[in-house]
Amino acid sequence: MEPLDSESIAIVNGSLIIVVDQDGQIQKTISTATAIDEIMFAKPYLYTLDLVQEVSIKECKLLQAVNSTLYLDTDEGISNTQLVSWKDLVDRSTKEGKFEEALGLLESVGFTQDQSSDNNQEFQEFRLKILQLYSISLVDADEIDDAIDVFIELETNPAKVIALFPENISGRLYIPQENWSSIFGDFAKLYKGTIDNNEIINSTSMSSLRSGSDTASLKSIKVSRNSKIEALLRYLTDRRQKVKGAIHQHPSESFINVKLTDYTKEQLLELPSRSADTLNVDQLAVLAGVVDTALFKAYIETRPALVGSLCRLENYCQPEEVEQSLLDRKKFDELVSLYKSKNMHEKALDLLKGLTLDEEEGKDIDSSVSYIQQLGSEYIDLILQKSRWMFDIDKQTAIQVADDERVESLPKLRVAEYLNSFDIGLGLQYLRYAIKELNDQDPSLHNYFADTLLQAVLRNRKTEEFQTIYDAYLDFLRSSHQYAPKARLKAIPIDDLYHARAILVDRLGKYEDALRIYVKNLNDFDSATRYCVKVEKEDKEIFSKLLKFYLKGDKSTSPGSQSSYFKATAISPSYSTMSDEGDNMNEIISLLCNFPTKFDIQQVLQSLPGDVPLQELQRFILRNYKATSSNQRWGSVVSNIRKSENERLAMKLVDLESRYVVIDDNRM
């Protein structure tokens, strides 16, 4: 009988150990292979004692132990017997695979050791090695939870732990069961020195069992495959938290793009087994990849529904090691998220494309469009390369990769050129969006928009859409001030698109040439008049020039008298035949009557043909006279007001100058 604690005792009955509480209730029964001579409790272990060595003596007067020799003084004389040392017991227990027994022996020795002795470090190394082998034996015996506890306590290199599990989890780290012991080195290296000189007289083999009051009893039932992986998940989650904490101590370092394929299997297994806080940056990066990759594989096997959330978190998983498992289980969204977290955008877009084109999956292009919208301008080459196929399926949905508020940072000219290369309509749609909605004032973009519009106008010259496109072209030329008019003008055919030519000539400041186009080429009185109103501030004589065009024609239209502008641009203007003077008389009279103050009446009367009825000019003359008289009266009023104000100010000045102030000491 052996008391275990204040509430329970252990009773030996042959090969059976019975643990009862203070009320006599049986708490646990443990059977052994052979009959037990004696038991001993040394927290947290319960030891069974077997006979190892027996010395037969009849009568002993003196017993003395010196080093490893026992001296006996008997009636027959002095004899000696060699004792079994702790080292031999540990060695024998280890070779027999009784790692718990070996650990118990080491613990017993450890309690008596002088912790400051030189042997302490060697003792700790012995214990570490035996614990490692013990953990392997637990895995072999399917005691996974107990093994994980040991691995966590020892800060074991995760690559070594993962290598003990099936290949679908461990991948290239996998080591067959017969080679497990090789992971932790040759145990024979432990026995280069001795642990202690302490020895025992009656050496015993100790087959220890953990007490139920402190730790879980050893399991004897095989656990399921998923239970093993669940235990591994507990280990990996613990390691992940420790590694992540250590990584956060290096905020300036980048760990996300570390490739485990750059390291051999042996290099991974040789990572140090110590706290993550003590590892350097390179070791942390590799360790993070090992842990997260195995964690992903374990989740895929046991908790596939949670893989998506793991993919969306910051992680260091190696996609190439888990992608096939995800594909086999049709975890496409999860794989896309994983690719995205690793900046493997090309692979993600290829996967989305394959799913869209796969009739069985029947995925639309919205997911591909949404993915591209989340990429920045630094991926412009990839965006343009991987979005082309979408336009063949749904143009208006695919255009959202460019004309959405989430992609405003893309280089707009590059996008416009790309769209225009296969669909000018999409190119124009994007340019309109960039310039009108986003108010982009980049001159190169405006130049390109003008050129693209002109290209569309010329392509549709004989279609029903021509006028709509041409009106859009003219509206842009009028509204934008960012394009280069001279270069745009050179692109226009010399015998066509006169409205566009007039706008561009006006932008160059050639007001008379622009007016000539309205009058001579377009024969458009209303447009010519509106143009005069528009540019009168820049050219005070513009109305007089218009009248001259109508009265006498333009002698400069001959090839030898072209305007300086047309000579400079080397473009020969082609003018249509203008109506003769008589046919223009209605426009002349209308111009004079609508804008009477813009002309000098004397010069008008001298310029008009002598056969113009005075009655036709009556309205012009009266309006001109009234306007002139009104201007004169208003000028007189303004002049008198100014004169009065000048006089008032002069009187005030005289009054101020007549004042004086005496400054004496009191005013200082």
Side-chain angles (χ1 to χ4, degrees):
M1 180 182 299
E2 178 76 12
L4 301 181
D5 51 37
S6 60
E7 298 181 354
S8 59
I9 60 174
I11 302 173
V12 177
N13 183 13
S15 61
L16 188 66
I17 300 176
I18 303 172
V19 180
V20 298
D21 60 18
Q22 59 186 0
D23 296 327
Q25 300 295 321
I26 297 177
Q27 294 178 325
K28 185 180 301 183
T29 60
I30 305 171
S31 61
T32 61
T34 60
I36 302 170
D37 295 330
E38 190 177 345
I39 62 173
M40 181 181 68
F41 178 69
K43 187 177 181 178
Y45 298 102
L46 181 65
Y47 299 95
T48 64
L49 304 181
D50 301 326
L51 184 62
V52 174
Q53 183 178 2
E54 182 177 349
V55 179
S56 176
I57 57 175
K58 295 180 179 179
E59 184 178 354
C60 180
K61 294 182 179 179
L62 176 66
L63 178 65
Q64 181 69 34
V66 179
N67 294 327
S68 62
T69 304
L70 177 66
Y71 293 94
L72 301 175
D73 184 5
T74 66
D75 293 340
E76 299 177 356
I78 297 176
S79 62
N80 63 79
T81 301
Q82 297 296 318
L83 303 178
V84 179
S85 69
W86 280 102
K87 176 184 174 182
D88 292 336
L89 289 176
V90 171
D91 184 40
R92 185 180 67 181
S93 297
T94 302
K95 289 180 179 179
E96 292 176 358
K98 298 178 181 179
F99 303 116
E100 283 186 290
E101 182 177 289
L103 287 171
L105 288 168
L106 282 177
E107 290 296 331
S108 299
V109 175
F111 291 136
T112 62
Q113 288 247 2
D114 178 7
Q115 297 300 314
S116 63
S117 68
D118 295 336
N119 292 327
N120 186 51
Q121 182 178 358
E122 185 178 8
F123 169 79
Q124 295 299 333
E125 291 177 356
F126 275 26
R127 181 177 180 275
L128 174 62
K129 285 293 185 180
I130 296 175
L131 275 173
Q132 290 174 335
L133 294 175
Y134 173 47
S135 64
I136 296 176
S137 71
L138 290 174
V139 175
D140 188 25
D142 287 331
E143 305 291 343
I144 308 299
D145 279 319
D146 290 338
I148 292 301
D149 291 335
V150 177
F151 291 139
I152 292 176
E153 177 187 351
L154 297 179
E155 302 279 1
T156 305
N157 171 13
K160 294 182 177 181
V161 177
I162 295 167
L164 305 177
F165 285 82
E167 194 168 1
N168 63 326
I169 300 295
S170 56
R172 66 190 182 101
L173 291 174
Y174 174 72
I175 293 180
Q177 185 171 350
E178 59 269 19
N179 298 327
W180 279 0
S181 60
S182 66
I183 302 177
F184 299 98
D186 184 2
F187 189 71
K189 295 178 181 178
L190 296 173
Y191 303 103
K192 291 181 179 179
T194 61
I195 299 178
D196 203 326
N197 290 328
N198 293 338
E199 296 164 342
I200 59 173
I201 299 174
N202 195 9
S203 301
T204 61
S205 172
M206 301 184 179
S207 177
S208 62
L209 296 173
R210 294 187 185 178
S211 171
S213 61
D214 291 284
T215 58
S217 62
L218 295 178
K219 301 175 183 178
S220 60
I221 302 175
K222 293 285 184 179
V223 294
S224 67
R225 177 170 172 270
N226 278 355
S227 297
K228 292 182 181 180
I229 300 177
E230 287 289 346
L232 177 63
L233 276 174
R234 178 166 66 88
Y235 170 77
L236 293 173
T237 302
D238 176 84
R239 295 299 90 189
R240 187 175 196 270
Q241 292 175 348
K242 299 290 176 46
V243 172
K244 189 175 181 180
I247 286 176
H248 286 166
Q249 298 177 12
H250 306 275
S252 61
E253 302 291 339
S254 176
F255 297 86
I256 193 170
N257 293 321
V258 173
K259 298 292 185 184
L260 294 185
T261 51
D262 295 338
Y263 298 83
T264 65
K265 175 181 177 179
E266 290 70 24
Q267 287 176 315
L268 297 178
L269 292 173
E270 289 172 2
L271 287 173
S273 295
R274 61 172 188 259
S275 173
D277 295 334
T278 64
L279 300 178
N280 60 41
V281 172
D282 293 336
Q283 291 170 338
L284 275 176
V286 176
L287 193 61
V290 169
V291 170
D292 273 10
T293 300
L295 187 65
F296 265 73
K297 291 180 178 180
Y299 264 81
I300 292 171
E301 292 293 331
T302 59
R303 305 175 187 176
L306 299 179
V307 173
S309 59
L310 194 60
C311 291
R312 289 184 286 273
L313 295 174
E314 180 186 18
N315 66 80
Y316 307 97
C317 176
Q318 304 290 295
E320 57 273 9
E321 296 200 23
V322 300
E323 57 188 351
Q324 191 57 51
S325 297
L326 291 172
L327 289 172
D328 292 342
R329 291 165 175 79
K330 295 191 174 182
K331 296 289 183 180
F332 304 123
D333 292 339
E334 289 81 355
L335 184 53
V336 169
S337 297
L338 181 59
Y339 284 147
K340 183 179 179 183
S341 69
K342 301 300 178 183
N343 293 330
M344 300 173 67
H345 303 302
E346 184 172 2
K347 275 199 165 187
L349 291 171
D350 286 340
L351 175 59
L352 290 172
K353 177 183 178 181
L355 295 174
T356 302
L357 300 180
D358 188 345
E359 295 181 358
E360 182 178 345
E361 294 300 327
K363 204 175 186 70
D364 56 34
I365 68 170
D366 290 340
S367 54
S368 297
V369 171
S370 178
Y371 190 99
I372 288 180
Q373 288 174 339
Q374 299 174 56
L375 300 179
S377 57
E378 64 271 22
Y379 294 102
I380 181 61
D381 292 332
L382 181 65
I383 291 173
L384 300 184
Q385 176 189 353
K386 296 299 181 179
S387 61
R388 177 64 184 88
W389 65 273
M390 303 181 203
F391 292 94
D392 295 331
I393 297 176
D394 187 345
K395 290 183 180 180
Q396 292 310 310
T397 300
I399 192 64
Q400 294 176 20
V401 302
D403 66 357
D404 187 272
E405 60 183 8
R406 287 173 288 183
V407 289
E408 292 180 5
S409 63
L410 295 181
K412 298 176 180 59
L413 181 58
R414 180 85 179 277
V415 174
E417 292 173 340
Y418 167 72
L419 294 173
N420 195 39
S421 66
F422 60 85
D423 192 319
I424 191 171
L426 290 175
L428 289 173
Q429 179 180 336
Y430 175 73
L431 286 165
R432 195 174 296 109
Y433 162 79
I435 292 175
K436 293 188 177 181
E437 294 190 29
L438 300 183
N439 195 31
D440 193 303
Q441 298 300 309
D442 181 7
S444 62
L445 194 65
H446 284 244
N447 286 332
Y448 190 74
F449 190 22
D451 293 342
T452 305
L453 280 169
L454 177 59
Q455 184 182 7
V457 167
L458 297 176
R459 284 187 181 182
N460 292 274
R461 191 67 179 90
K462 297 181 179 181
T463 68
E464 295 179 355
E465 299 178 357
F466 169 76
Q467 194 58 48
T468 302
I469 300 174
Y470 189 41
D471 289 342
Y473 179 46
L474 297 178
D475 288 341
F476 176 73
L477 293 180
R478 295 189 188 101
S479 61
S480 175
H481 294 270
Q482 300 302 320
Y483 61 83
K486 188 172 183 179
R488 310 286 79 72
L489 183 61
K490 289 181 178 180
I492 296 178
I494 61 175
D495 57 349
D496 198 3
L497 308 181
Y498 292 112
H499 271 110
R501 179 180 292 279
I503 295 172
L504 293 171
V505 170
D506 168 70
R507 284 296 174 85
L508 291 169
K510 305 297 182 178
Y511 307 118
E512 184 176 351
D513 291 331
L515 182 61
R516 182 183 294 110
I517 294 174
Y518 285 117
V519 175
K520 300 294 184 179
N521 295 90
L522 297 172
N523 199 20
D524 189 342
F525 175 78
D526 292 335
S527 296
T529 304
R530 287 194 298 270
Y531 180 73
C532 289
V533 174
K534 172 188 170 186
V535 301
E536 184 185 11
K537 291 183 179 180
E538 286 76 20
D539 188 347
K540 301 296 183 182
E541 301 297 323
I542 194 67
F543 277 96
S544 298
K545 293 175 182 177
L546 177 58
L547 181 61
K548 289 180 181 179
F549 287 154
Y550 279 121
L551 286 173
K552 300 180 179 179
D554 187 7
K555 296 180 181 180
S556 66
T557 59
S558 62
S561 58
Q562 293 180 8
S563 69
S564 60
Y565 165 71
F566 289 107
K567 290 179 179 179
T569 57
I571 299 177
S572 300
S574 176
Y575 297 117
S576 60
T577 304
M578 180 183 170
S579 303
D580 60 33
E581 193 175 281
D583 294 336
N584 292 325
M585 189 53 63
N586 290 334
E587 285 78 5
I588 293 173
I589 299 300
S590 177
L591 177 65
L592 294 172
C593 292
N594 290 332
F595 303 95
T597 61
K598 308 297 182 183
F599 304 95
D600 181 273
I601 190 170
Q602 184 176 358
Q603 291 181 355
V604 171
L605 293 175
Q606 291 176 352
S607 301
L608 290 174
D611 57 351
V612 177
L614 189 59
Q615 184 179 358
E616 296 288 340
L617 300 175
Q618 181 179 1
R619 189 171 55 162
F620 160 67
I621 295 172
L622 289 176
R623 288 189 176 186
N624 183 277
Y625 175 75
K626 288 180 180 180
T628 302
S629 299
S630 176
N631 289 339
Q632 289 176 350
R633 287 194 299 271
W634 178 248
S636 177
V637 170
V638 172
S639 177
N640 289 331
I641 291 174
R642 289 176 177 173
K643 181 178 179 182
S644 175
E645 181 66 12
N646 289 337
E647 291 177 354
R648 185 184 68 79
L649 292 175
M651 292 177 63
K652 185 176 182 179
L653 178 62
V654 171
D655 178 62
L656 292 173
E657 289 177 345
S658 64
R659 298 179 184 182
Y660 66 92
V661 177
V662 177
I663 300 176
D664 55 17
D665 293 338
N666 294 330
R667 286 182 176 269
M668 294 294 290

